[in-house]
Amino acid sequence: MVTVIRSVIRGVGACLPKRVMTNEDISKIVDTTDEWIVERTGIQSRHIAAEGELTSDLGIVACRQALVRAGVDPLDVDLVICATATPDRTFPATAVRIQAGLGITRGAAFDVQAVCSGFVYALTVADGLLRTGQFRRALVVGAETFSRILDWTDRGTCVLFGDGAGAVLLEAQPTHGAREDRGILFTRIRSDGRFEDLLYVDGGPGSTKTTGVLRMNGREVFRHAVQKISGVIEETLVATGYAADEIDLFVPHQANQRILDGIAKKLNVSPGKIVMTLNKHGNTSAASIPLALNQAFEEHRIHEGSLVLMEAMGGGFTWGAVLARW
Ligand code: ACO
């Protein structure tokens, strides 16, 4: 019998800062209305990190919850990968700070930078490393404090984003490689740097020596998002031989309700199968997929054996998809 190593998701956790900022609150800072934001994006409120509350702080809490739910001791983890575009410091990696915060002293920890696609990229990297046999258990965390890189005078961008973190605990397990066996079944990551100027941060240690703030051409990002995300989902389905209606749960990156509606329509996915957190979280970049996984878990919408499709697109552009049997 052939043995195939698969990366099985054993636990999920999340952390949202306490402070909630509603659209009404934002309308006191920039010229906007709750009606405009809800109609154009679907966002009603978002969480904002407190002063001194760092990306790693959120990540550590999310990881702890994932570990508890998996019944795994932190000392049995040998890989920590953090997807973030808002690291605590330029270096070291936020993952190293999360590793230390959890008391893990072995294995390796590093960050992955693919902005909103970061969690899909990090899962892909973790899955590859676990399947080599070099590591046994990985914490994959998406953690962001985007509120710190927003231009709070730009109503076109500051209304869209929020802070938070989510994490999963992956474990390398021997399987028969069958369709019904658990684990990550397929990953696909893509990027195209020609589109850098449509969504970027206008600073950096190597250019301006400042952090910079987010800049975006929303209309162009929107146009590319529907097309690129639908494309990578179709590739995933073709490569794995699954039909769209066999997917139990779609867990998309949460950028804009209208982007998700467009994708659902294009791929003929029933809205009841899509996990939505956008209304309460806004766009939390790399944290949005694990936060949505966590919500689906807590609402008992995700069970052992569920076929889960995750997808994302972000600055770069970067985009990708992961298909997993929970
Ligand atoms: N409140 C009120 N009016 C606003 C606001 C606001 N918050 N923001 C922009 N407007 C105004 C503009 O000034 C403009 O006014 P004008 O016509 O007088 O010039 C008008 O609304 C239309 O502006 P557009 O930018 O064309 O509005 P659009 O319908 O494209 O919606 C939005 C903007 C919501 C940003 C949309 O383009 C979008 O969602 N794009 C996708 C971007 C995204 O999701 N990025 C996240 C990162 S990438 C990712 O995660 C996939």
Side-chain angles (χ1 to χ4, degrees), residues 60-175:
I60 288 167
V61 175
C63 287
R64 282 213 180 100
Q65 189 173 42
L67 286 164
V68 168
R69 285 181 175 158
V72 168
D73 191 288
L75 300 182
D76 290 328
V77 171
D78 51 7
L79 181 63
V80 181
I81 303 181
C82 179
T84 187
T86 45
D88 295 1
R89 290 176 162 164
T90 300
F91 78 79
T94 300
V96 174
R97 305 187 102 206
I98 292 172
Q99 182 195 33
L102 295 169
I104 304 168
T105 53
R106 68 198 190 93
F110 59 90
D111 287 357
V112 163
Q113 219 296 34
V115 209
C116 297
S117 314
F119 189 74
V120 164
Y121 268 63
L123 274 184
T124 301
V125 173
D127 178 48
L129 286 171
L130 289 180
R131 286 191 293 109
T132 66
Q134 207 184 142
F135 299 94
R136 179 84 204 284
R137 290 191 191 86
L139 277 165
V140 180
V141 49
E144 302 279 17
T145 46
F146 254 54
S147 61
R148 302 214 166 97
I149 54 162
L150 297 177
D151 175 354
W152 286 97
T153 64
D154 175 14
R155 67 179 182 173
T157 54
C158 74
V159 303
L160 301 175
F161 297 90
D163 301 336
V168 294
L169 188 279
L170 290 183
E171 184 175 272
Q173 289 185 5
T175 73

Side-chain angles (χ1 to χ4, degrees), residues 161-217:
F161 297 90
D163 301 336
V168 294
L169 188 279
L170 290 183
E171 184 175 272
Q173 289 185 5
T175 73
H176 299 307
R179 270 167 92 85
E180 60 277 12
D181 285 341
R182 300 179 66 198
I184 291 178
L185 307 178
F186 183 81
T187 63
R188 170 64 47 91
I189 52 173
R190 297 287 315 277
S191 63
D192 189 338
R194 287 176 300 169
F195 301 109
E196 175 187 348
D197 290 342
L198 296 179
L199 177 57
Y200 64 102
V201 167
D202 64 5
S207 51
T208 58
K209 295 196 254 177
T210 61
T211 308
V213 288
L214 186 143
R215 302 288 175 211
M216 179 178 74
N217 179 334

